Amino acid sequence: MISHLRPPQSLSPSRNRSPSLLLDLFLSFSGIMLRSPLRATGGIFELRKTVERTKTLMMKQSAWRQMTEPGFWAGVLVILCTLSVGADVHQALKTQSMLSKVLQRHKRDWKWDKLYVHEEMPLKHPPEKIGKLENTYFTPSARYNLSGEGANNIFTVNDNGDILVHAKLDREEKSIYRLTASLFNIDSKKQLDHDNTIEIVVLDINDNSPVFPPDISGSISESSRAGSVVMSVKATDADDPTTQNGMVVYKLLNGTDLFINYNGEIRTLTSSLDREKQSQYLIAIQAKDMPGVNEGGNSATTIVTVNINDINDNIATFKSGEYRFNVKEDSEPGYQIGVLAVEDKDEIQNKDPTFTIHKFGEVFDIKQSNTKDGALSLKVPLDYETLKAYVFSVNVDEHTVSKSPDNQGPNLLTRAQVFINVIDVDEPPVFSQTLYNFSIYEGPFKNPVIGAVSAKDPDATAYKIRYSIEDPNCPVVVDPVQGHLSLKKQLDREEESSYTFQVTAHEDVPNGLKSYAKVNLTVLDINDNAPELTNGNEVYVCKSDKPGTLYISIILHFFTLTVGAYNKDENSGRFHFTLAKSSKFSLTDNRDNTASIKLKQGGFSTEHSVEHVLEIEIADGGTPEQKRKLNDLQLMCACARRNDKWSIVWPTPRPE
Ligand SMILES: *[C@@H]1O[C@H](CO)[C@@H](O)[C@H](O)[C@H]1NC(C)=O
Ligand SMILES: *[C@@H]1O[C@H](CO)[C@@H](O)[C@H](O)[C@H]1NC(C)=O
Ligand SMILES: *[C@@H]1O[C@H](CO)[C@@H](O)[C@H](O)[C@H]1NC(C)=O
Ligand SMILES: *[C@@H]1O[C@H](CO)[C@@H](O)[C@H](O)[C@H]1NC(C)=O
Ligand SMILES: [Ca+2]
Ligand SMILES: [Ca+2]
């Protein structure tokens, strides 16, 4: 039953001849072993039609459902009946008439509309007959003609209606040919019947192997639970995918202790994959068609790469229990002392050590370095003379490590001792202050000493220190041994109120180290300036009633004249005004560093410029008191025209 559907054995001796999956399944189910090979005859094609129909129906459903549904069994029964239920199946298939009864169509004039031919059949001489056109109107004077795909070229029809094939066909190139058959009279050329469309179906043989894409790879994190999907592999088979020829199944050829295949999906079989042990696996995978047949079928093998991705599953530990460093005492804060090397088998992005310092945390700092080691640095300056060595312990932890790390146990080296040795360096002298503030009074001095600076060599050697002032313009000199500062000259606050200069201290040895301190000298004020009138010695009293005229007529006693004074010194008190030589005027001290001068009695009218001379004494309240006598003070009533402007209105006369 099976083998007679195939092309004759001699045509393709090397090929697998398995029929469709479902028929196979049926046969293995029913236990019928049919082994009789039949030669292809016209009857094959009739049978093939029925089988084909049943198969198409069956293919649409899953194998198991088909077997459980009544339709399946019905279809199978039809085939079986067709083949004869009797013991001699061989014989039954030869009985053409029996097949005809079932399959012939009587309604139509044309007998066939579908024919079958196997692909890849070697050409034969004479050409192979694949079917026969039959029409009820056929007579000896009638002829068949073919047109359409491959007509008269691949396929021809002879005078008997036999369809012959003249080429080797490839289903994977073209799986169906559509032709038109016509019947006409040789003499009249008249058509004897309607054209009929026939299809020639190229039957698949398993002439293609599954093909894998190149370079298949997948990855999975180490320690993933068993059953995790690693990757899917897929091979393609050019043969008919609705038959076993084109169906592909997969099989792992090795690595089966770690991985398992479900229809090309590779999953882990264990949770013990460990990147630190093996980071990559190469697995041979076979893809094979003809899933129902153990032997035979076409197969291909490829090697896929499975990469094991790292996770943080190793605890960071110290590489050593002790780390020793020498640090110069003059190292700046932030100085990188060194590295506490850490051991962690994970990939660097998964290393995450943290460090704890147990003593001297205010002096030293330890942080994760770029290489994920412990970077030890200095936080504050060291001083050899104060402390020559530090010993402390440091812990390393890894909080992000997985719950069951590869390395565990009490013997992990997570604590280390650090020994810091402070190295003495020759340091420059150190002043007792970096800035000194001194002050001294201006003017003549009895004792020129303004203060003293002092510096020391901090080193154990403790060299003597010599002081100097390098600026030659500095008004101060320094005693090279004692550090006393004294004035070179008298100072004047009104000229320069403060000085800033540097004092140098250097070790009193050849090439001794130097350092500097700043001195700020403030010059203090003494009252060494007499008061002066704020606007010079001329005081004008002016009143114009008519701009442009030179004549002024003023009764002065209506007006008060105010004079003011100032003094260059800083701390002089309030000014006191007194009128020394009194004539017609009186003076009132306004107690705000001004005084008003008034005409005592009468008045005077000035037709002409008149001068009155006043003598005023102004004293400041400073120590010592400074006085000024203004004996050339002129009171002018000569409101002269200056620059076409009536001017000088100070002090402003105001009505009483
Ligand atoms: C037969 O078919 C071919 C096309 O394949 C056509 O050229 C030819 O004329 C047909 N002959 C007759 C007699 O119809
Ligand atoms: C599987 O076989 C291939 C090819 O021989 C080999 O390269 C690979 O290492 C093997 N893999 C395993 C896990 O044994
Ligand atoms: C010196 O004087 C300045 C300004 O008066 C002040 O800011 C500074 O703190 C003083 N320095 C010392 C050391 O007394
Ligand atoms: C020096 O002292 C004076 C007065 O105290 C102050 O104004 C000045 O800012 C000081 N200069 C420095 C550099 O401290
Ligand atoms: Ca790891
Ligand atoms: Ca780790």
Side-chain angles (χ1 to χ4, degrees), residues 222-223 274-276 309-314 344-347 350 406:
E222 55 178 331
S223 303
D274 185 358
R275 187 201 64 89
E276 287 77 29
N309 295 337
D310 188 42
I311 65 165
N312 184 3
D313 59 353
N314 283 274
D344 185 337
K345 287 195 181 126
D346 293 319
E347 287 179 354
N350 289 324
D406 290 349

Side-chain angles (χ1 to χ4, degrees), residues 530-533 563-565 574-582 587 589 594-595 597 614-620 625-633:
E532 287 164 44
L533 264 183
V563 296
R574 234 185 356 93
F575 294 109
H576 300 284
F577 299 84
T578 38
L579 200 57
K581 201 161 100 187
S582 166
L587 181 142
D589 191 335
T594 66
I597 299 163
L614 292 170
E615 203 174 292
I616 300 173
E617 195 178 85
I618 307 169
D620 63 17
E625 188 167 67
Q626 298 282 341
K627 287 185 179 173
R628 169 148 298 184
K629 228 175 207 168
L630 304 170
N631 45 16
D632 52 350
L633 193 66

Side-chain angles (χ1 to χ4, degrees), residues 502-518:
Q502 268 187 347
V503 180
T504 309
H506 54 98
E507 294 169 352
D508 195 8
V509 283
N511 301 320
L513 297 172
K514 280 182 185 179
S515 60
Y516 305 90
K518 214 178 206 183

Side-chain angles (χ1 to χ4, degrees), residues 159-405:
D159 293 354
N160 297 328
D162 296 336
I163 296 181
L164 307 172
V165 60
H166 297 268
K168 196 161 123 179
L169 303 181
D170 183 1
R171 188 203 66 88
E172 280 74 57
E173 206 174 278
K174 187 166 176 61
S175 62
I176 192 158
Y177 291 85
R178 290 185 179 81
L179 299 103
T180 302
S182 46
L183 183 68
F184 63 93
N185 183 287
I186 295 179
D187 304 318
S188 66
K189 307 282 185 219
K190 270 183 75 179
Q191 268 200 252
L192 301 176
D193 195 359
H194 296 297
D195 286 353
N196 185 36
T197 301
I198 57 169
E199 284 184 348
I200 298 176
V201 175
V202 185
L203 295 175
D204 187 38
I205 63 162
N206 191 10
D207 58 344
N208 285 281
S209 299
V211 177
F212 280 109
D215 304 328
I216 309 173
S217 70
S219 63
I220 185 81
S221 290
E222 55 178 331
S223 303
S224 292
R225 58 175 178 73
S228 300
V229 176
V230 178
M231 63 200 294
S232 283
V233 294
K234 187 154 177 59
T236 50
D237 189 311
D239 290 320
D240 186 351
T242 66
T243 70
Q244 292 217 337
N245 295 345
M247 291 179 184
V248 181
V249 287
Y250 303 89
K251 186 177 168 190
L252 299 189
L253 300 183
N254 62 9
T256 48
D257 51 332
L258 301 173
F259 302 101
I260 187 166
N261 153 55
Y262 294 96
N263 289 329
E265 189 176 72
I266 299 175
R267 299 190 190 178
T268 53
L269 202 54
T270 161
S271 63
S272 62
L273 289 173
D274 185 358
R275 187 201 64 89
E276 287 77 29
K277 284 203 190 110
Q278 186 166 348
S279 64
Q280 193 180 70
Y281 292 87
L282 300 177
I283 299 172
I285 294 189
Q286 186 200 57
K288 192 181 96 50
D289 56 21
M290 295 292 185
V293 213
N294 280 341
E295 280 160 46
N298 298 322
S299 68
T301 302
T302 192
I303 307 260
V304 302
T305 306
V306 175
N307 292 310
I308 309 302
N309 295 337
D310 188 42
I311 65 165
N312 184 3
D313 59 353
N314 283 274
I315 296 175
T317 58
F318 284 117
K319 279 191 178 155
S320 161
E322 278 183 20
Y323 294 89
R324 290 174 187 275
F325 303 99
N326 291 328
V327 184
K328 286 184 181 176
E329 61 171 329
D330 64 347
S331 302
E332 301 273 324
Y335 170 71
Q336 296 296 315
I337 296 171
V339 162
L340 277 61
V342 161
E343 169 82 38
D344 185 337
K345 287 195 181 126
D346 293 319
E347 287 179 354
I348 188 147
Q349 75 277 5
N350 289 324
K351 298 181 187 193
D352 189 21
T354 54
F355 302 91
T356 325
I357 190 163
H358 289 292
K359 204 178 163 192
F360 299 120
E362 69 288 354
V363 182
F364 302 101
D365 196 14
I366 181 161
K367 285 206 171 74
Q368 206 179 81
S369 72
N370 290 343
T371 56
K372 308 280 176 96
D373 292 302
L376 186 66
S377 65
L378 190 62
K379 272 169 133 174
V380 293
L382 298 179
D383 184 16
Y384 172 82
E385 286 73 28
T386 313
L387 193 52
K388 295 181 174 54
Y390 294 82
V391 179
F392 52 91
S393 59
V394 172
N395 262 49
V396 61
D397 293 296
E398 209 178 6
H399 301 292
T400 55
V401 78
S402 72
K403 285 207 180 70
S404 53

Side-chain angles (χ1 to χ4, degrees), residues 433 435-437 520:
Q433 283 170 243
L435 171 68
Y436 292 89
N437 280 344
N520 188 4

Side-chain angles (χ1 to χ4, degrees), residues 34-272:
L34 297 170
R35 291 266 176 263
S36 337
L38 268 187
R39 296 283 166 233
T41 66
I44 291 172
F45 300 105
E46 296 172 51
L47 174 63
R48 171 56 90 169
K49 277 185 155 186
T50 313
V51 169
E52 200 63 34
R53 252 177 254 128
T54 316
K55 206 170 97 181
T56 316
L57 179 92
M58 286 153 61
M59 281 296 177
K60 286 181 182 148
Q61 301 160 31
S62 79
W64 179 245
R65 266 182 59 211
Q66 286 157 3
M67 287 174 219
T68 55
E69 277 174 20
F72 171 81
W73 299 108
V76 166
L77 275 176
V78 169
I79 299 170
L80 272 187
C81 291
T82 308
L83 295 175
S84 159
V85 199
D88 195 351
V89 177
H90 192 137
Q91 202 56 42
L93 288 172
K94 276 183 167 171
T95 314
Q96 280 267 5
S97 57
M98 189 175 166
L99 284 169
S100 304
K101 268 177 208 159
V102 180
L103 299 171
Q104 266 184 26
R105 301 176 193 185
H106 296 289
K107 282 176 269 173
R108 298 184 58 173
D109 303 328
W110 289 95
K111 204 168 173 188
W112 306 115
D113 54 14
K114 207 165 211 170
L115 298 171
Y116 298 88
V117 57
H118 272 110
E119 62 170 331
E120 303 295 347
M121 282 199 299
L123 281 183
K124 285 171 77 184
H125 292 290
E128 170 135 18
K129 173 184 166 186
I130 59 163
K132 188 175 169 65
L133 291 178
E134 282 181 62
N135 188 293
T136 44
Y137 298 114
F138 186 74
T139 61
S141 59
R143 288 291 181 274
Y144 293 105
N145 195 15
L146 283 179
S147 60
E149 293 172 341
N152 306 322
N153 168 15
I154 300 173
F155 306 106
T156 57
V157 60
N158 65 14
D159 293 354
N160 297 328
D162 296 336
I163 296 181
L164 307 172
V165 60
H166 297 268
K168 196 161 123 179
L169 303 181
D170 183 1
R171 188 203 66 88
E172 280 74 57
E173 206 174 278
K174 187 166 176 61
S175 62
I176 192 158
Y177 291 85
R178 290 185 179 81
L179 299 103
T180 302
S182 46
L183 183 68
F184 63 93
N185 183 287
I186 295 179
D187 304 318
S188 66
K189 307 282 185 219
K190 270 183 75 179
Q191 268 200 252
L192 301 176
D193 195 359
H194 296 297
D195 286 353
N196 185 36
T197 301
I198 57 169
E199 284 184 348
I200 298 176
V201 175
V202 185
L203 295 175
D204 187 38
I205 63 162
N206 191 10
D207 58 344
N208 285 281
S209 299
V211 177
F212 280 109
D215 304 328
I216 309 173
S217 70
S219 63
I220 185 81
S221 290
E222 55 178 331
S223 303
S224 292
R225 58 175 178 73
S228 300
V229 176
V230 178
M231 63 200 294
S232 283
V233 294
K234 187 154 177 59
T236 50
D237 189 311
D239 290 320
D240 186 351
T242 66
T243 70
Q244 292 217 337
N245 295 345
M247 291 179 184
V248 181
V249 287
Y250 303 89
K251 186 177 168 190
L252 299 189
L253 300 183
N254 62 9
T256 48
D257 51 332
L258 301 173
F259 302 101
I260 187 166
N261 153 55
Y262 294 96
N263 289 329
E265 189 176 72
I266 299 175
R267 299 190 190 178
T268 53
L269 202 54
T270 161
S271 63
S272 62

Side-chain angles (χ1 to χ4, degrees), residues 540-556 559 604-610 636-641 646-647:
Y540 296 90
V541 177
C542 305
K543 173 72 186 171
S544 71
D545 50 5
K546 237 190 210 167
T549 173
L550 268 172
Y551 299 103
I552 309 159
S553 178
I554 298 171
I555 306 298
L556 242 184
F559 301 93
F604 62 86
S605 156
T606 49
E607 289 293 299
H608 312 284
S609 176
V610 176
M636 291 179 67
C637 207
C639 295
R641 192 178 171 175
W646 295 98
S647 60

